[in-house]
Amino acid sequence: LIERKNQSDYSLSMIDFSERYIGVWKEDVLACGPYARMRLTPLKLPMRGFHGDAISHGGKEVTVSDCRKFIVCLSDCALYFILDDAYAKTPKKQINEVGGRRPFPSRIPPNATFGDAYWPHAVMRHSFDCLRGIVIGFQFQRLCLQFSVPSPKGDSVLEYSYVILTSNKMRTISLLQKLQAHTNDARPDYTGDPKSNVLIENDDKVFLDALGSKADVVLHYHILHQIWRRGDREAARRSFVLTSSRVFLLDEMYSGDGTIPDEKNVSRKKLGNISLTVIDSASLSRVSEIRAANEDPRLITLVLQSQNKLKRAHRWRLVCNDGECAERLIDDVRKAIKAKPR
């Protein structure tokens, strides 16, 4: 660029070199709100019951919005969402039209090398001056980032919210600390007054109200997946909740994620708010066993005694993000069972 400076219409003064890389995280992200979903299109999967059966209503299969895998890239002034899954479908005609080149958007191929020099496909960029709020999920299992972006005409504001499902307290804290360190300084309206900081709050009250178990203390909460031994069925995203007296297997949905098609008038404050549906639950006295699978330390089997002696015990087959989270969940359940008076 320097060598051709005198021969080009471009100059170095037109290029902004001030943006500085901070860090990257590989996370599951669910867009909430119509504008966010247009850029980070969620997966549409069949809604499944406890036994893996597809739920239907009025003869029509019910679908749920599920998260996509993204590389979340943070600079000192903006946040980028870079596609990192294989679900982007591109018609063969479109691929031929671009000369067989890699279609946009698509992830960097898993077998790519540094020498291939693939360019990451960022499907969305938000500058920090548009960040209006950060909501910390219950027990640091997720973050919800809320952006307000002026429309191209400048006569309205477009609301974007993203639920980042880390399923891991330390990763959530890592991302939150980096955001806190750089968001306020990048905003032109920041005066140094704490009142002008980006609003950071937690959704503990919203979560506990949705759970509806006010008399019990929540001992453990984890976002994971339920799987089945038989049938060609994709894993279903669930959440596991352990209280002082019960275990819950729950479906989580978020306002504006597209699961409910007529949910059009959700305010910015409510975008990303959690709602819970009980898939199964039982008292701790019915938990006869909880163990990790031999073949994969992330897999957990929880065995519940049937309330009817003529029926077999049934099992929750769960998958955590990593073995450490699975081990912690098993330990907490066993401790709760021992502490429960017989």
Side-chain angles (χ1 to χ4, degrees):
L1 183 60
I2 296 176
E3 292 176 356
R4 291 189 289 175
K5 179 175 180 292
N6 298 326
Q7 303 171 5
S8 173
D9 294 333
Y10 298 99
S11 67
L12 289 174
S13 61
M14 297 174 62
I15 304 174
D16 182 9
F17 290 107
S18 62
E19 192 167 357
R20 183 167 55 90
Y21 164 82
I22 301 299
V24 293
W25 296 259
K26 295 184 72 170
E27 302 294 351
D28 293 335
V29 181
L30 186 58
C32 295
Y35 301 111
R37 294 199 309 270
M38 282 192 292
R39 305 305 290 270
L40 276 64
T41 308
L43 296 178
K44 284 294 186 179
L45 301 176
M47 179 180 286
R48 298 199 178 276
F50 174 76
H51 296 289
D53 49 311
I55 306 297
S56 60
H57 181 71
K60 186 178 180 180
E61 189 177 79
V62 180
T63 60
V64 295
S65 295
D66 204 2
C67 49
R68 302 279 299 273
K69 293 188 179 298
F70 285 89
I71 296 172
V72 180
C73 181
L74 184 69
S75 77
D76 60 346
C77 62
L79 190 70
Y80 298 81
F81 292 98
I82 300 168
L83 192 65
D84 193 40
D85 63 29
Y87 291 104
K89 302 296 183 183
T90 304
K92 292 182 179 179
K93 180 181 178 183
Q94 184 177 341
I95 294 177
N96 293 333
E97 287 176 353
V98 295
R101 290 176 295 174
R102 175 175 159 228
F104 182 91
S106 62
R107 66 173 177 174
I108 295 175
N111 59 350
T113 64
F114 183 80
D116 294 325
Y118 282 108
W119 196 262
H121 287 174
V123 295
M124 196 62 188
R125 176 190 186 272
H126 284 296
S127 61
F128 288 150
D129 59 345
C130 296
L131 182 62
R132 292 293 175 261
I134 301 174
V135 180
I136 304 169
F138 189 71
Q139 293 191 0
F140 291 90
Q141 286 287 290
R142 54 194 148 72
L143 280 180
C144 181
L145 306 182
Q146 301 170 336
F147 295 88
S148 296
V149 181
S151 66
K153 294 182 179 180
D155 56 350
S156 61
V157 174
L158 311 181
E159 308 295 348
Y160 296 77
S161 289
Y162 307 94
V163 179
I164 302 177
L165 301 160
T166 65
S167 304
N168 185 290
K169 179 178 179 179
M170 298 313 297
R171 287 218 308 268
T172 301
I173 292 175
S174 170
L175 177 56
L176 179 62
Q177 287 176 335
K178 291 292 194 301
L179 286 168
Q180 285 180 293
H182 298 281
T183 50
N184 289 322
D185 292 340
R187 295 169 59 209
D189 60 341
Y190 181 62
T191 62
D193 185 343
K195 293 182 180 180
S196 64
N197 289 350
V198 170
L199 177 64
I200 300 178
E201 54 187 345
N202 65 60
D203 73 347
D204 289 9
K205 185 178 185 306
V206 175
F207 177 86
L208 294 173
D209 287 347
L211 183 62
S213 186
K214 297 181 180 179
D216 288 347
V217 176
V218 176
L219 304 176
H220 192 103
Y221 163 62
H222 189 62
I223 299 172
L224 36 65
H225 287 81
Q226 182 185 11
I227 59 172
W228 297 270
R229 291 177 63 181
R230 299 179 181 85
D232 185 18
R233 292 167 288 200
E234 69 285 336
R237 177 167 50 85
R238 308 286 199 211
S239 59
F240 173 88
V241 174
L242 167 68
T243 72
S244 51
S245 65
R246 300 186 69 82
V247 288
F248 294 88
L249 189 63
L250 306 165
D251 247 349
E252 282 193 8
M253 291 184 289
Y254 306 95
S255 298
D257 68 2
T259 296
I260 303 175
D262 59 350
E263 194 178 31
K264 297 178 181 178
N265 299 317
V266 182
S267 68
R268 179 182 67 84
K269 186 177 181 180
K270 292 184 178 179
L271 281 177
N273 270 12
I274 190 172
S275 62
L276 301 173
T277 303
V278 177
I279 300 299
D280 197 17
S281 69
S283 63
L284 282 176
S285 59
R286 288 180 54 203
V287 179
S288 61
E289 184 182 6
I290 182 167
R291 63 179 185 271
N294 293 328
E295 65 273 16
D296 188 337
R298 301 176 304 149
L299 302 182
I300 295 173
T301 300
L302 184 144
V303 183
L304 296 176
Q305 296 174 345
S306 175
Q307 292 177 314
N308 187 337
K309 294 183 178 180
L310 299 177
K311 294 184 178 180
R312 295 174 57 187
H314 67 278
R315 291 166 170 78
W316 296 0
R317 291 185 171 86
L318 311 173
V319 185
C320 297
N321 272 16
D322 55 64
E324 184 180 343
C325 291
E327 184 178 351
R328 190 179 304 116
L329 190 155
I330 291 171
D331 288 344
D332 285 350
V333 172
R334 288 174 177 171
K335 289 176 184 177
I337 293 173
K338 288 181 180 179
K340 185 72 176 171
R342 297 290 180 179

